[in-house]
Amino acid sequence: MVQHYESPVRVYKYPFELVMAAYEKRFPICPMIPVFVGSEITYEHKSDDGAVHIVERRCKLNLDAPYILKKIVGIDFIYFIQRNSLDVRARTLKIEAHNESFSSRIIVRENCFYSVHQDNSEWTCFEQSASLDVISFFGFEATVEKLACKHYAANIKKGKEIIQYYIDELISDGVTGLPKWEERLPRESRQRSEALGVRDVADDELREERVRMGSVSSMETVRTRVEGALPEIVVVASSEANDRRVEVGKIDSDYIEQWLGLLSPVEESRLVEIRRWIAETHKEKMPNDMHLLRFLRARDFNVEKTREMLHSSLLWRKQHQLDKLLHVYKPHPVIMDYFPGCWHYHDKEGRPLYVLRLGQMDFKGLLRAVGEDDILRNVLATCEEGLQRCEKATKMLSKPISSWTGLVDLEGLSIRHLWRPGIRVLLRMIEVVEANYPETMGRLLIVRAPRVFPILWTLVSSFIDENTRNKFLIYGGNDYQGPGGLTDYIDTCYIPDFLDADSQCDMPPGGIIPKSLYMPQEEQELTFAPPLETDSIYHTANIFRGAPYEVVIPVIEAGTVITWDFDVIKGDCQFALMKTKRPVDYDVIKQNSHQHNHHAHYGAPSSSTIGNVMDRPLLVLGIDAYNAESPLVLRDGDSIQGSHVAGSISTYVLQWKYKEPAKAARSSSAHGPAFDFPLLQHKCKVMYYYELLKSHDFRGSMTSLQSCQSGFSSLSLNTTVSDHSANASSLPSASSCSSR
C-alpha cells in the first residue's frame, strides 16, 4: 500500500533570501540531523544571468534500523538523490528527492517547495509532500514501512526547528538581510531608460512588481505599467509557483497550532488531504477546519472512513437545512416550560457548559405533547448553538475549543424513565448526534446517579461511541462534592444552585407535564415515524441505465431564473438542461408519461417528473429541443449548484442519465454485451432541489441558492442566460457556466 504525506504550509517570517542562506548551511553535513551523514555534489548548473541555480546531491543516510535487518540486506547506509532548483528571479526553490538504494524494491519520492508568501513579500512559505511504496523487502515489508514512517515523521517535526536555528545563527553573526537578485537590462534598454530620465527607484518598483506578479499569475502574459519606467513591459510569469499557490486545500501550520491544537505530522497530513477533497468535491461549501478535524478524530484519522462519514453528514445537513436551524427554529411552548436544560457558563478549560436535569424530565410527557420531531429539533438546535459557542470561546481565549462539557443531574431518575418508546427515541437521537456531531462532547459529568441508572446505562451505552464513553465521569450520591468531584472540572462559582452551590441556572424546573397538553391520539401515532422526514425541500431520484430521470419545467415568463442544487449520492451520471423550441402542450406530456407533481412556482403550472420526455414521440434532441447548458459528467460525491436565465417563454427539462463507468464501458466493448440482471448494478442516485425565481427576486430570495448563509457552509452560484434576451440585463450579474 502506498503511503502519502502532505504537510500544511509552514511560514517563516523572514525574507526568502535569508531563508535560502540558512538552508544552504545544512550542507554538506548537518549535525542537527543525526541520520544525515553527509552529501556530495554530483551535478551543478547556473544560468548565464545567474537567476537559476540547479544542484544535484548524493546524500548519505544512516538509519536507526534493527541490527538484524541491516545484516540481512548487507548495508550500513542508504543513499538518496536530491535535486534543488533555485530560481532567484521568481524567488522559489523546488526540491525533488528519491531513493537510490533499493529503488527496485522501495520507491520513495519527496517534493518540497519554498516560495514567497502571497500576502507578505518579506515572508517565506514552505510546502512538503512525500510518498512511500514498499514493493518487496525480503519479507520485512511491514517493518520497513513502519520504520520509514517513524523516521520521516521525526525529521518533519525537526525540519522547521533546524531552519530557524540557522536563521538565528545568521542574525547573531550580523546578517539580518540579504539583497534581492537584480536583473541586468540589456545596454539598449538601459540607454533608453536613461534617455527617458528613469530613476533607479522606478527600476526597483518594476522589479518588485515583476516578482509580485510572478507569485500570483499562471502561464499567462501579464502587462505591467510603472510610472516613469519603460512605457510597457511584458512579463511571462512562472507557472511553478502559481500552480502550487492556487491549489486548493492549503492550510498554515501556525494556524493549525493556534486554532486547532497540536497535531502530529501524520494528523496534519490527513487534515490537508480531507480539506483538499472536500474543496474539490463541494467547492465553496467548506465546513470549517475544526469541524473537519472532529470527523477525522471520530474515524481515527482514516481518510476513507472520514470521507464517507462527512459526505453523509453534509448531505443530511443540506437535506434538512441545518445551516438555517438557529434562525428559524422556535421551541414548542411545552419545551420552553418543561425541558430542564440550558447552557451555563463554561468549565475550567474554557469549554461551554451544558446543564441537564435528566431526572426531572418527563420524557413520556414530552413525547406525547410535542412529538419526537420537536424534541430532536431542540437537541439539534442545542448542538448547533454548541458549535457556535465553541467558535466564540476559541476566538476569545485564543486557543482551540472544539467541544463542550455536559453536566447531567440524575436526581429523580426512576423506573418511569425506562419507558420503551422513550428509550427507542433516545437511541435514535444518540444515533443522529453521533453521526453528525462527532467529538463535540469533551467531558460528561453525571452526578447523583441512582440505583436504577445501571439499567439505563446498559440499554444505551452500546449505542455510544467508545471514545465518547471514555469521557463519561459518573458520581453516585454526594460523591461529586468530594476530591476528584465537580470542583476539579468546574469553578465553584459556576456550579449550579441545585447542587448546593450559588450559581443560578436559568432553566425550567421540569416536572410532570399535564395530560391536557398532550397531542390528540392520532397525532401521537405519527410521532413514532422517523423524524425530520417531511421538512426537506430536496427530493431523491434513482437513475437507471436506459431510463433517465427528467423534471419538466414550464416557464411562463421571460427572464425567469431556473436554479438547481443537487448532490450525486451514488454512482456516476450525466446532467443536462434542455430547452424546447416551442412551449410543450402539458396535456400531451400527461398523456404520454407518468406524472409526479412537485412545487408550483408563482402561478406556473406544476412541474412534472417524467420518465422519457426527450424520446419519440414527444421530443427529439436536435429537432424539437436543444441543450441550453453543456452536459456535465458527474462522479460519485459531486455537488452541483447553478442557474439559468430563461430568455423566452418555453419548456425546460432537467435531465439526469446514468453514466457507465469507464472501466465497465471498456469491458463491455471488449467482450461484447454482457448478460446481467436488470439494472440492479447500473444505478445512480441523486438528491436534488430546483426553484423558479423572477429576475428581480433572484439575488434576494430567502429560498434561493444565493441566500444560504451560514458559518458552516455556503453555496456558490453562477448564472447563464439563454437567447441573450434583453430581460437578462435586469439581473445583477451573469456568467457563462454553471458551477461545479
Side-chain angles (χ1 to χ4, degrees):
M1 180 180 178
V2 181
Q3 299 289 335
H4 294 279
Y5 168 80
E6 183 169 359
S7 74
V9 179
R10 299 179 190 167
V11 178
Y12 299 96
K13 297 182 179 180
Y14 301 95
F16 177 81
E17 291 71 23
L18 185 62
V19 174
M20 290 299 98
Y23 175 78
E24 286 299 324
K25 292 177 73 68
R26 297 175 52 173
F27 301 102
I29 188 170
C30 181
M32 297 183 68
I33 309 179
V35 298
F36 185 52
V37 179
S39 64
E40 59 177 349
I41 296 176
T42 58
Y43 172 81
E44 186 169 8
H45 168 76
K46 195 172 246 188
S47 62
D48 294 338
D49 60 1
V52 177
H53 188 197
I54 299 175
V55 178
E56 192 169 286
R57 294 182 175 91
R58 189 169 186 257
C59 302
K60 184 179 180 181
L61 303 181
N62 180 19
L63 293 181
D64 183 20
Y67 175 79
I68 187 172
L69 183 59
K70 287 186 175 182
K71 283 298 182 182
I72 290 175
V73 299
I75 63 169
D76 293 324
F77 303 100
I78 61 174
Y79 293 89
F80 274 75
I81 302 300
Q82 183 189 76
R83 183 183 180 90
N84 293 357
S85 302
L86 175 64
D87 186 344
V88 292
R89 177 190 290 112
R91 302 176 77 189
T92 63
L93 172 64
K94 181 180 180 181
I95 304 171
E96 299 171 293
H98 65 273
N99 61 308
E100 182 184 71
S101 303
F102 304 107
S103 57
S104 63
R105 296 179 177 273
I106 303 174
I107 301 175
V108 179
R109 294 283 186 270
E110 182 183 47
N111 293 281
C112 303
F113 192 74
Y114 286 89
S115 61
V116 178
H117 196 288
Q118 64 178 4
D119 297 325
N120 190 331
S121 62
E122 296 302 310
W123 290 359
T124 305
C125 296
F126 173 73
E127 302 167 49
Q128 183 178 16
S129 63
S131 64
L132 168 68
D133 185 9
V134 182
I135 301 172
S136 65
F137 203 81
F138 312 106
F140 289 90
E141 290 81 10
T143 302
V144 170
E145 187 174 290
K146 291 179 181 178
L147 185 66
C149 292
K150 174 185 174 183
H151 280 280
Y152 194 74
N155 290 331
I156 289 170
K157 195 172 182 180
K158 294 182 64 176
K160 188 172 182 179
E161 300 173 3
I162 294 172
I163 293 294
Q164 187 64 51
Y165 171 82
Y166 286 122
I167 290 176
D168 294 340
E169 187 177 89
L170 287 169
I171 294 175
S172 65
D173 293 339
V175 182
T176 57
L178 294 171
K180 298 177 184 177
W181 180 83
E182 295 186 1
E183 182 177 10
R184 297 298 179 185
L185 293 174
R187 179 179 299 177
E188 295 81 3
S189 298
R190 186 165 58 251
Q191 290 174 350
R192 184 184 176 193
S193 298
E194 292 172 355
L196 294 172
V198 178
R199 297 172 300 169
D200 291 340
V201 65
D203 291 337
D204 293 338
E205 291 174 358
L206 178 58
R207 283 191 293 270
E208 287 294 325
E209 188 69 0
R210 278 184 167 186
V211 171
R212 186 185 69 79
M213 296 304 295
S215 68
V216 299
S217 303
S218 64
M219 290 303 292
E220 60 184 357
T221 300
V222 182
R223 298 187 177 273
T224 307
R225 188 183 299 273
V226 180
E227 183 181 359
L230 300 178
E232 189 173 85
I233 301 293
V234 177
V235 182
V236 180
S238 169
S239 65
E240 189 69 41
N242 180 71
D243 288 347
R244 288 177 167 271
R245 179 85 54 208
V246 300
E247 195 174 357
V248 295
K250 299 299 183 186
I251 186 171
D252 189 339
S253 61
D254 291 337
Y255 159 80
I256 290 178
E257 184 174 345
Q258 181 175 0
W259 301 109
L260 303 181
L262 294 175
L263 301 178
S264 70
V266 174
E267 291 172 346
E268 289 180 342
S269 176
R270 299 297 181 264
L271 177 60
V272 171
E273 187 176 348
I274 200 71
R275 201 172 187 267
R276 172 176 289 105
W277 167 77
I278 199 166
E280 291 173 348
T281 57
H282 290 73
K283 294 302 175 185
E284 296 182 7
K285 302 182 298 178
M286 280 276 294
N288 61 50
D289 296 316
M290 184 63 77
H291 200 74
L292 295 178
L293 192 57
R294 291 188 185 102
F295 279 82
L296 281 166
R297 285 172 172 156
R299 290 297 178 261
D300 295 325
F301 288 88
N302 183 302
V303 174
E304 289 302 322
K305 292 181 179 179
T306 302
R307 284 177 182 173
E308 182 180 351
M309 183 183 186
L310 185 58
H311 180 59
S312 298
S313 179
L314 290 177
L315 287 176
W316 176 82
R317 292 185 66 87
K318 185 176 183 178
Q319 184 175 10
H320 301 297
Q321 305 178 76
L322 263 293
D323 294 341
K324 298 180 180 180
L325 182 62
L326 291 180
H327 301 290
V328 300
Y329 173 68
K330 293 182 179 180
H332 193 285
V334 173
I335 290 179
M336 296 182 67
D337 293 338
Y338 289 93
F339 189 86
C342 70
W343 290 102
H344 184 72
Y345 299 105
H346 54 79
D347 67 4
K348 286 187 174 182
E349 297 180 29
R351 296 191 186 106
L353 177 64
Y354 189 81
V355 179
L356 177 66
R357 302 193 68 181
L358 186 60
Q360 303 302 314
M361 181 188 298
D362 181 9
F363 200 77
K364 181 177 181 179
L366 279 173
L367 190 59
R368 289 186 168 176
V370 303
E372 179 181 353
D373 199 79
D374 265 289
I375 297 175
L376 179 57
R377 288 179 190 278
N378 185 66
V379 172
L380 297 181
T382 299
C383 293
E384 290 293 309
E385 185 178 350
L387 295 178
Q388 290 189 358
R389 286 175 176 265
C390 287
E391 290 182 12
K392 291 178 181 178
T394 297
K395 294 176 181 178
M396 184 175 63
L397 301 176
S398 295
K399 69 175 185 178
I401 303 294
S402 62
S403 58
W404 53 80
T405 294
L407 175 58
V408 179
D409 178 24
L410 296 184
E411 185 184 49
L413 189 74
S414 63
I415 200 69
R416 66 183 176 88
H417 289 91
L418 302 181
W419 182 49
R420 180 172 294 180
I423 295 295
R424 185 168 60 247
V425 171
L426 178 62
L427 295 180
R428 280 184 189 169
M429 293 180 183
I430 291 174
E431 183 180 8
V432 170
V433 173
E434 286 279 335
N436 299 285
Y437 301 92
E439 296 297 316
T440 52
M441 180 62 68
R443 182 179 292 114
L444 185 64
L445 305 169
I446 300 176
V447 299
R448 301 199 284 194
R451 293 182 177 179
V452 74
F453 174 72
I455 302 176
L456 179 62
W457 178 247
T458 301
L459 293 173
V460 302
S461 61
S462 60
F463 293 88
I464 302 174
D465 182 77
E466 183 178 358
N467 291 336
T468 304
R469 289 202 305 268
N470 293 335
K471 301 171 185 177
F472 284 38
L473 295 175
I474 303 172
Y475 301 92
N478 294 323
D479 292 346
Y480 68 92
Q481 297 176 339
L486 292 185
T487 54
D488 285 10
Y489 306 102
I490 305 173
D491 289 327
T492 305
C493 59
Y494 295 144
I495 296 178
D497 52 355
F498 57 81
L499 295 177
D500 301 324
D502 299 325
S503 183
Q504 185 172 359
C505 274
D506 185 17
M507 71 166 78
I512 301 298
I513 298 175
K515 292 185 178 180
S516 59
L517 298 178
Y518 286 7
M519 295 183 295
Q521 185 64 35
E522 57 272 15
E523 293 185 27
Q524 289 186 34
E525 294 176 358
L526 297 177
T527 65
F528 295 100
L532 302 181
E533 287 294 326
T534 59
D535 65 336
S536 178
I537 62 175
Y538 289 87
H539 304 273
T540 301
N542 293 314
I543 302 103
F544 298 93
R545 186 172 66 178
Y549 188 90
E550 296 168 345
V551 177
V552 179
I553 306 174
V555 174
I556 62 174
E557 181 178 336
T560 297
V561 183
I562 306 171
T563 66
W564 58 85
D565 176 18
F566 66 89
D567 291 82
V568 182
I569 302 175
K570 176 184 178 182
D572 301 343
C573 69
Q574 176 179 292
F575 170 73
L577 173 68
M578 290 167 284
K579 178 180 183 294
T580 63
K581 293 185 177 180
R582 62 184 183 279
V584 177
D585 187 345
Y586 213 66
D587 291 333
V588 174
I589 296 179
K590 290 181 180 180
Q591 293 172 5
N592 288 271
S593 303
H594 172 71
Q595 180 180 5
H596 174 70
N597 289 327
H598 284 265
H599 306 297
H601 303 281
Y602 55 86
S606 297
S607 301
S608 289
T609 301
I610 310 298
N612 286 289
V613 176
M614 303 304 300
D615 280 345
R616 296 181 186 276
L618 294 178
L619 301 173
V620 178
L621 187 63
I623 298 177
D624 305 302
Y626 61 91
N627 284 320
E629 295 284 347
S630 299
L632 292 174
V633 175
L634 309 171
R635 305 303 178 193
D636 192 341
D638 280 353
S639 179
I640 306 297
Q641 304 84 37
S643 59
H644 182 91
V645 180
S648 60
I649 298 174
S650 187
T651 302
Y652 285 81
V653 178
L654 298 177
Q655 184 189 73
W656 291 268
K657 280 185 176 181
Y658 173 80
K659 183 69 176 178
E660 191 81 27
K663 292 182 179 180
R666 287 195 299 267
S667 175
S668 177
S669 61
H671 302 286
F675 176 80
D676 49 29
F677 291 97
L679 307 178
L680 291 179
Q681 298 178 351
H682 306 283
K683 175 182 176 181
C684 177
K685 188 175 183 180
V686 297
M687 185 181 76
Y688 72 93
Y689 167 72
Y690 70 92
E691 183 177 13
L692 298 184
L693 299 171
K694 291 185 178 180
S695 59
H696 60 269
D697 294 332
F698 175 55
R699 294 295 179 186
S701 170
M702 291 304 295
T703 57
S704 70
L705 305 181
Q706 180 69 14
S707 66
C708 295
Q709 303 292 333
S710 170
F712 180 83
S713 66
S714 61
L715 300 180
S716 62
L717 183 64
N718 290 333
T719 306
T720 57
V721 184
S722 67
D723 293 353
H724 304 285
S725 170
N727 291 325
S729 62
S730 64
L731 290 173
S733 64
S735 59
S736 61
C737 63
S738 60
S739 71
R740 173 177 176 178

